[in-house]
Amino acid sequence: MRQIACLHTAASNIKLFDAACPPGLALRHVIRPDLLAEAEAAGGLTPAIAARTAAAIAALATTGIHAVLLTCSTLGPALAQTRAAIPLLRADAALAEAAMRGGGRVVALCAVETTLAPTAALFGPACETRLVPGAWAAFRAGDAQTYAQMVAAAADAAFAEGARCVALAQASMAPAAALCRNGTPLTSPAASLAALA
């Protein structure tokens, strides 16, 4: 059984990754909401926040852990400055790879503004990155149902406009996939854990 340490910034992500976990992997979860809160307050990932994120990731790369998975899209770029003897993976990087495979029009949806720039950089110019207005306010207010409905509506709109693939860039958006009617978006919990498996 391979042990995967997951660094989250929202406790609600634990059940999303547990639900998507394939056989052969065991997940250990660490929650650091402070890192995302700091990034939101700063308007994005700063060098200081990236350094603290990298230190948190390195601390998880301990004996018995086979890989570390960073599940927060806003903090994702910090992985590039992390050094460890085991594989390190951004959940959104696995999502981007899965989404861009096969060509065609790809739309990546984000709920929080601090995720827009790292998502656009990760997916590249061939992908259209969009913000779902108001969705993050619903998430922050604890209204998971409205949050998922808003994301699903945005995904359905993208499919209706001709997108071959819609990617839900943040792990917290995953429940919206089950509500979509025009297609099935890709989610980072499923894509990243499949990559690790």
Side-chain angles (χ1 to χ4, degrees):
M1 186 74 71
R2 283 180 288 171
Q3 302 289 328
I4 309 299
C6 299
L7 179 62
H8 308 287
T9 53
S12 57
N13 283 352
I14 293 176
K15 64 181 179 182
L16 303 180
F17 280 84
D18 281 345
C21 190
L25 299 183
L27 305 182
R28 297 185 195 174
H29 303 285
V30 174
I31 315 299
R32 289 292 304 273
D34 57 301
L35 295 171
L36 179 58
E38 288 176 28
E40 285 187 73
L45 185 65
T46 66
I49 299 166
R52 284 196 294 281
T53 302
I57 295 166
L60 293 177
T62 58
T63 303
I65 294 294
H66 296 93
V68 177
L69 179 62
L70 176 60
T71 68
C72 178
S73 300
T74 296
L75 302 179
L79 199 70
Q81 65 186 65
T82 309
R83 298 292 170 261
I86 61 173
L88 307 174
L89 180 67
R90 288 174 62 170
D92 56 351
L95 177 69
E97 184 177 335
M100 301 310 289
R101 199 179 298 132
R105 184 176 174 203
V106 177
V107 174
L109 298 178
C110 302
V112 63
E113 289 189 14
T114 55
T115 298
L116 283 171
T119 299
L122 190 62
F123 278 74
C127 174
E128 180 185 351
T129 304
R130 296 181 183 176
L131 182 70
V132 182
W136 197 241
F139 180 84
R140 282 292 192 212
D143 190 349
Q145 182 176 356
T146 298
Y147 177 58
Q149 289 170 341
M150 293 174 78
V151 172
D156 277 338
F159 280 124
E161 293 163 14
R164 175 194 62 80
C165 176
V166 175
L168 306 184
Q170 293 164 238
S172 61
M173 303 168 92
L179 304 178
C180 291
R181 297 177 179 177
N182 294 343
T184 303
L186 296 180
T187 66
S188 63
S192 59
L193 292 172
L196 285 169

